[in-house]
Amino acid sequence: MLQATSELEFSSDRTSEGISHLASLALSADSSPSEKSSPGLPEKTGYPDSVYVMAANIFQGIRFEKSPEQVLIKYGNEPLRSLPESEDEAFQRSSYELAFSALKFQDILETMLIDSYIFPSTTIPDHLSSLIIVMLYDFQDRKFQARLFSDNEEPIAEVQEVENLLNSFKTKLAAALARCRIKHDALSIYHILPETVRNQELRASTLPLYAWINTCKISPEDVYYSLKKKGYNKVNSVLHIDEKVFAVDQHCYDVLIFPSHLKNDLLNIDLFKDYKLIFQDKSRSLAVHSVRALLNMDDDILMVNTGSWYTVAHMSVLTNNNTSKIFVCGVKSQAKDPDLKNLFTKMGCKNIEILHETFLNIESKDHRLQKVKVILLLPRCSGLGVSNPVEFILNEHEDTGLLKDFSQGGTSEDKLHILAQQQYEQLTHAMKFTKAQAVVYCTCSVYPEENEAVVKKALEFQDLGIKVQPYRLSPPVLPLCSLKEIQLSTDKFFRMEPSGITNGCFLSVLTRERDPSETVSVKDVLARAAAKGLLDGIELGKSSKREKKKKKSKISLPKAPTNDNNSLQMKITEFLNRETNVNANRSEILTTKTSLPQKNATSAASSLRVRKPSKPATNPLVPTFMRNPAHPRPHERQTNFLRPRPEDRVIALKPIEIVLPPVMLPFSSPQGIKSQIPTQHFYYHWVAPKTGYFPSPAITRRGEKPKENSPSSLLRHPRPWL
């Protein structure tokens, strides 16, 4: 039994009025960020007794130990007796959250116990000190209000005794909390935490929920339809939306995103109860999708340090249509095999094989792993890129000692060096598997010592003595959906920094360099496909007629190279002579006087057919101004083209019309315009042999007097070039 001295015996140092004032200050001002951000949440009523007991045992193993001269509160080494229901997932989550919260405020809670004279005024067994710490945190989090009891709850004697003790010192505990806040000039004890921890908790309260679709049991379209029936609308983004909505992730086509406040509602939907939708951090989905992009139809996969079994299930679902087999190593206890097989059966996963050896003890030439082509390595890391440490510990089966690092917002150098060395050993061991062609390395850390440094060191010191091609760093196989992602991936690493929409993630893909001596022909590829039965009904022995013609042409070309070269040279010479004759005849026609008879012009060009322009037509795009062709300049040439003979091979030019508009002056009458324009106007007009795209220009024949412009034409087309 706890023996507590009356509260009144220790009130001589301060007046009860001052204590009451400080206590009221603590009760009115102290509140957590979650309460401020969610004013509609119900008031906290406490936890069951069994949760306090399990949280005390967890805190006992992760608490900060002080030097002997600074120890004011002693903690025992004996754990408290826990109930069998501690295996429940929700029960474990509540216990870990309570223990982690008490760990973050360990110094403040110990100061409150000493300042309120609970220590050393009471005779408290050392093994109950951890229970007092976790229950005190929950007591002040409830603003020192009484806990509500459940009728179905079995009371635990130690919890009842500690609760009675705290209730008897309620006023002094509230006053001690107020003095602590005043000392640190903080609105609440939450603001006393390091800034990194505060930012982490703020992100955890608003981070969206990610869930992947189990396509072995349901299609994405059916999921969308079911969610719509439940009142969920599909949107492009779930940020800053308080409604029932969801969105599809940009990197993973089978991952849906929900607002954080919908978790309790979603857990009651059949889609989650029946394992059709599974909550999981996005970084794990990115890892399995990267592996899927590197696989062939019959390639096996080796998964190392998978953490959550949902990651294994997701990998199995993505390879459901393949003949791939997934090997999972590191399952130490065979007693978990029935539970795991039961879980995988419920999720529709059939291609999973569990290995009980640790990864470093598996030989690279293990006969079971001869078809393994891709190794997925998810090493233990500091996890400082995640926002919810408790979820990370529970889902990834990590060491609870990491909670101590999370409570301080960082990892010590010594521990970081130990983790990096373990990661390096696992990565180099994965690179020793001679049959493997790729290694995917993924962490939730933000430290370069665990990410880039490990990969670069492994590539630098990889064993080049074995008769396989060395590994190289490959670009990400995931889509880059923003400029920031592109900038972060310039060195071939895929990174996501911790933010309000996702946790931190680092991903690297290592692939073997292609052997230049191994060249696979099309015939070899077809032979392999035929051996696997992928070319049913297609005969590879018979070659097509086109291939036979190609072979004949290739064989016949070297036999008579002289005749072919001579014929080609003759064609070139004939073409040049023909072009020379055409140019000579054209110049002769242009220099002939316009007064020659028509029959002389015909006899002069008997071998050539001259295309004569027809009667001048009015072109709406060309003004019909008067021309004076009496004295043509040397560079002025009439644009008459010769129609080539049908047997001549002349490449037809594309029809192009170029019209240079005259200058229009603002005169009121056509006579004014006529008097001001120059005496000669020329329109250079080029028309291809066949003019089918543009109207014929108004070009006069030589010897014909051009018609003067009529007033009607000028009024109809004042600005013909527009």
Side-chain angles (χ1 to χ4, degrees), residues 516-638:
S517 62
E518 296 181 0
T519 56
V520 181
S521 62
V522 177
K523 186 181 296 184
D524 295 336
V525 174
L526 293 176
R528 292 180 184 179
K532 295 179 181 179
L534 301 178
L535 301 178
D536 293 340
I538 301 178
E539 297 181 3
L540 300 178
K542 298 181 180 180
S543 59
S544 61
K545 296 181 179 180
R546 183 177 299 177
E547 292 178 354
K548 292 180 179 179
K549 290 181 179 180
K550 289 183 179 179
K551 292 181 180 179
K552 290 181 179 179
S553 61
K554 291 180 180 179
I555 296 173
S556 59
L557 283 176
K559 290 183 179 180
T562 306
N563 297 334
D564 291 342
N565 292 337
N566 293 337
S567 61
L568 180 61
Q569 186 65 29
M570 291 175 61
K571 290 181 179 180
I572 295 175
T573 305
E574 181 183 354
F575 174 77
L576 293 176
N577 295 334
R578 184 168 60 249
E579 290 297 320
T580 304
N581 296 333
V582 169
N583 293 334
N585 294 331
R586 183 182 301 174
S587 60
E588 182 180 354
I589 292 172
L590 292 176
T591 54
T592 305
K593 295 181 180 180
T594 58
S595 59
L596 291 176
Q598 182 66 24
K599 60 179 182 178
N600 295 338
T602 306
S603 61
S606 59
S607 62
L608 296 174
R609 298 177 61 186
V610 181
R611 181 187 179 189
K612 298 181 180 180
S614 61
K615 184 178 180 180
T618 303
N619 190 351
L621 297 178
V622 182
T624 57
F625 291 124
M626 181 180 63
R627 301 181 185 179
N628 186 8
H631 304 284
R633 297 179 183 178
H635 64 276
E636 295 170 356
R637 299 170 60 187
Q638 188 169 352

Side-chain angles (χ1 to χ4, degrees), residues 26-197:
L27 294 173
S28 61
D30 191 46
S31 60
S32 63
S34 59
E35 294 177 7
K36 293 181 180 180
S37 61
S38 304
L41 293 177
E43 294 184 359
K44 297 181 179 181
T45 58
Y47 297 97
D49 289 5
S50 54
V51 172
Y52 290 121
V53 172
M54 185 175 182
N57 291 334
I58 297 173
F59 177 81
Q60 177 68 26
I62 63 176
R63 64 179 177 83
F64 292 99
E65 297 183 1
K66 298 181 179 180
S67 57
E69 60 273 8
Q70 295 179 345
V71 172
L72 299 176
I73 298 178
K74 296 181 180 180
Y75 296 89
N77 297 323
E78 300 178 6
L80 298 175
R81 180 180 58 88
S82 59
L83 299 178
E85 62 183 10
S86 60
E87 296 295 330
D88 182 68
E89 183 178 352
F91 179 88
Q92 288 185 352
R93 181 172 287 101
S94 299
S95 302
Y96 273 92
E97 289 177 350
L98 181 57
F100 180 61
S101 299
L103 178 66
K104 291 184 292 186
F105 300 101
Q106 178 179 343
D107 290 339
I108 298 175
L109 297 174
E110 290 178 352
T111 302
M112 289 174 60
L113 291 174
I114 295 171
D115 196 20
S116 63
Y117 286 90
I118 291 182
F119 284 95
S121 64
T122 57
T123 306
I124 303 176
D126 293 344
H127 70 281
L128 293 181
S129 297
S130 297
L131 182 61
I132 293 177
I133 290 293
V134 296
M135 292 189 68
L136 175 58
Y137 171 80
D138 181 60
F139 194 32
Q140 66 83 30
D141 196 34
R142 300 196 315 264
K143 298 183 178 180
F144 300 98
Q145 300 299 316
R147 179 169 62 108
L148 297 181
F149 295 92
S150 176
D151 297 336
N152 299 327
E153 182 181 353
E154 181 181 356
I156 299 177
E158 292 85 354
V159 175
Q160 300 296 324
E161 293 175 3
V162 171
E163 186 170 24
N164 293 333
L165 174 66
L166 296 178
N167 283 326
S168 64
F169 281 83
K170 179 175 68 174
T171 305
K172 288 190 174 183
L173 288 171
L177 177 60
R179 286 191 294 271
C180 183
R181 286 178 34 234
I182 294 173
K183 177 181 177 182
H184 292 86
D185 192 20
L187 294 176
S188 67
I189 60 174
Y190 166 77
H191 293 89
I192 303 175
L193 293 174
E195 183 178 1
T196 54
V197 179

